[in-house]
Amino acid sequence: MKQATLLNFVEKELAFKYTAETVISYMYTIRRFLSQFPKAERLKLTDIEGYFADLKIQGKSSEYRKAILAGIKAFYDCYLELGMVKEHPCRTYRISEKKPKGKDFSAFLNLEEMETLFNLKEERYRYVGNRNKAMIGLLIYQGMTSKELINLSVNNIDLDAGIVNIKGQGKNTDRTLELKPSQITVLMRYIEDDRKHLLKNSTTNKLFLGMRGTPMTVNALHEFISRLGGTFGNKEVSPKNIRRSVISNWLNVRNISLEHVQIMAGHRYPSTTEQYINPNTQEQREAVSKLHKSIFG
């Protein structure tokens, strides 16, 4: 059968099943496909997979490739009806664009960079310098989320024991973490002096307050942290990225066990924590371990 006759048949068959606009789109796809594969009846699934692999290499989006695949599938449906092929070569073929698993470790801040935030210069507004350092400290040392931070009450801080009791927000679990000595000093100054001035006539028990004596909000926290950005190139300075950086540091630099980090981060499931294990760091550890064993037995 000549190709022109074949295309006329295909177009008529498609017209019974699809709208006029879809038929036009499919026929455009089919003509281009046949120009590249005149003997389309001989193609196998591997050939079609290769065709779509080439489209991907050319930078064609997944949506574009899905549209092309729909036209080719409709074409082979017609081929089956004509008896040109005995089976549909790509009926079960799917284009799926899975997001890569794991984290972009190059985007994380290292501990030195995070501590630069903690040692920022004094605020020009009175009574907020210690507050800001206290908030940054809880982000970079305890890896708290924004909601966990702004929902802290004064009672959640035990300066004598040197701990913070974190009420898990969302999917996170409750946990108790140690405070560093530098944090205890800053928190003591804030709670015993600065916070009392910020409190004014308010009776709230929330730990962190704004200039008007009202509790800090997530938006206010994010705005404050965002102003600290621009120091570390393309690395994002935000509570979310700081938390991710902290968890990565616990696992990959400090070598804290997965089980312990899961508790420290407030993750309900170990699979969530596992995402922060840097495979390159893990491979380096295993290589060093093997070398050590080969030398020292």
Side-chain angles (χ1 to χ4, degrees):
M1 184 182 295
K2 292 183 178 180
Q3 191 174 97
T5 305
L6 173 65
L7 287 173
N8 285 334
F9 174 83
V10 169
E11 189 168 6
K12 289 179 181 178
E13 286 297 310
L14 293 177
F16 284 117
K17 303 176 182 178
Y18 305 102
T19 64
E21 292 80 4
T22 301
V23 172
I24 293 171
S25 174
Y26 281 1
M27 288 305 299
Y28 176 77
T29 295
I30 291 167
R31 287 189 176 93
R32 292 194 64 181
F33 184 68
L34 286 175
S35 68
Q36 186 167 345
F37 302 104
K39 302 293 184 180
E41 68 275 7
R42 299 180 182 178
L43 297 184
K44 304 296 182 184
L45 176 59
T46 52
D47 300 313
I48 294 173
E49 288 175 335
Y51 173 67
F52 281 98
D54 288 340
L55 290 179
K56 185 174 183 179
I57 292 172
Q58 293 170 25
K60 303 299 184 183
S61 69
S62 61
E63 294 304 315
Y64 174 88
R65 285 178 278 130
K66 286 176 182 177
I68 297 298
L69 178 60
I72 293 174
K73 284 186 174 184
F75 167 69
Y76 276 109
D77 285 337
C78 296
Y79 253 32
L80 274 173
E81 294 178 19
L82 273 174
M84 298 286 290
V85 292
K86 293 182 178 180
E87 59 182 27
H88 199 303
C90 58
R91 174 168 287 154
T92 59
Y93 180 58
R94 299 285 185 274
I95 293 175
S96 60
E97 294 292 312
K98 295 182 179 179
K99 294 182 179 180
K101 295 182 179 179
K103 305 294 181 182
D104 180 7
F105 293 94
S106 65
F108 292 161
L109 299 162
N110 59 45
L111 182 59
E112 183 179 353
E113 289 170 331
M114 288 188 285
E115 288 187 328
T116 299
L117 301 176
F118 184 72
N119 296 316
L120 51 77
K121 62 183 180 180
E122 292 295 322
E123 281 282 346
R124 59 175 176 167
Y125 297 110
R126 196 176 181 186
Y127 307 128
V128 299
N130 287 317
R131 181 204 67 182
N132 292 347
K133 291 192 72 169
M135 291 193 299
I136 293 170
L138 291 166
L139 290 174
I140 71 172
Y141 293 124
Q142 283 73 38
M144 295 178 65
T145 68
S146 301
K147 287 186 177 180
E148 289 171 344
L149 186 70
I150 60 105
N151 279 303
L152 282 175
S153 67
V154 176
N155 297 334
N156 293 137
I157 303 293
D158 188 334
L159 294 174
D160 292 330
I163 58 174
V164 53
N165 296 302
I166 303 170
K167 183 70 175 177
Q169 298 291 314
K171 296 180 180 180
N172 290 348
T173 59
D174 298 351
R175 56 212 186 270
T176 298
L177 299 178
E178 291 184 6
L179 295 166
K180 290 185 172 292
S182 57
Q183 289 182 274
I184 295 173
T185 302
V186 170
L187 280 163
M188 184 180 297
R189 290 172 181 167
Y190 170 66
I191 293 172
E192 295 183 357
D193 185 14
D194 298 342
R195 185 180 178 279
K196 292 178 181 178
H197 289 280
L198 291 173
L199 193 59
K200 298 177 182 177
N201 297 322
S202 176
T203 58
T204 180
N205 199 36
K206 294 293 185 183
L207 178 60
F208 294 114
L209 307 177
M211 293 294 291
R212 297 182 179 180
T214 55
M216 286 280 290
T217 64
V218 168
N219 287 340
L221 174 65
H222 286 191
E223 183 180 349
F224 160 61
I225 297 297
S226 69
R227 294 202 302 266
L228 306 177
T231 309
F232 312 114
N234 294 326
K235 292 183 179 180
E236 177 187 351
V237 179
S238 67
K240 179 180 286 187
N241 196 45
I242 291 173
R243 173 173 163 80
R244 291 172 173 171
S245 302
V246 171
I247 297 171
S248 175
N249 179 270
W250 286 341
L251 284 167
N252 302 305
V253 179
R254 295 181 59 188
N255 299 335
I256 301 175
S257 69
L258 177 69
E259 295 79 7
H260 197 183
V261 171
Q262 179 189 347
I263 295 171
M264 294 168 69
H267 291 154
R268 291 189 183 277
Y269 307 105
S271 57
T272 305
T273 315
E274 284 176 350
Q275 297 177 39
Y276 293 89
I277 296 176
N278 189 333
N280 295 329
T281 304
Q282 188 73 13
E283 289 173 5
Q284 290 170 4
R285 286 183 199 163
E286 292 174 358
V288 170
S289 178
K290 288 179 181 178
L291 178 62
H292 188 276
K293 288 180 180 178
S294 67
I295 296 174
F296 300 103

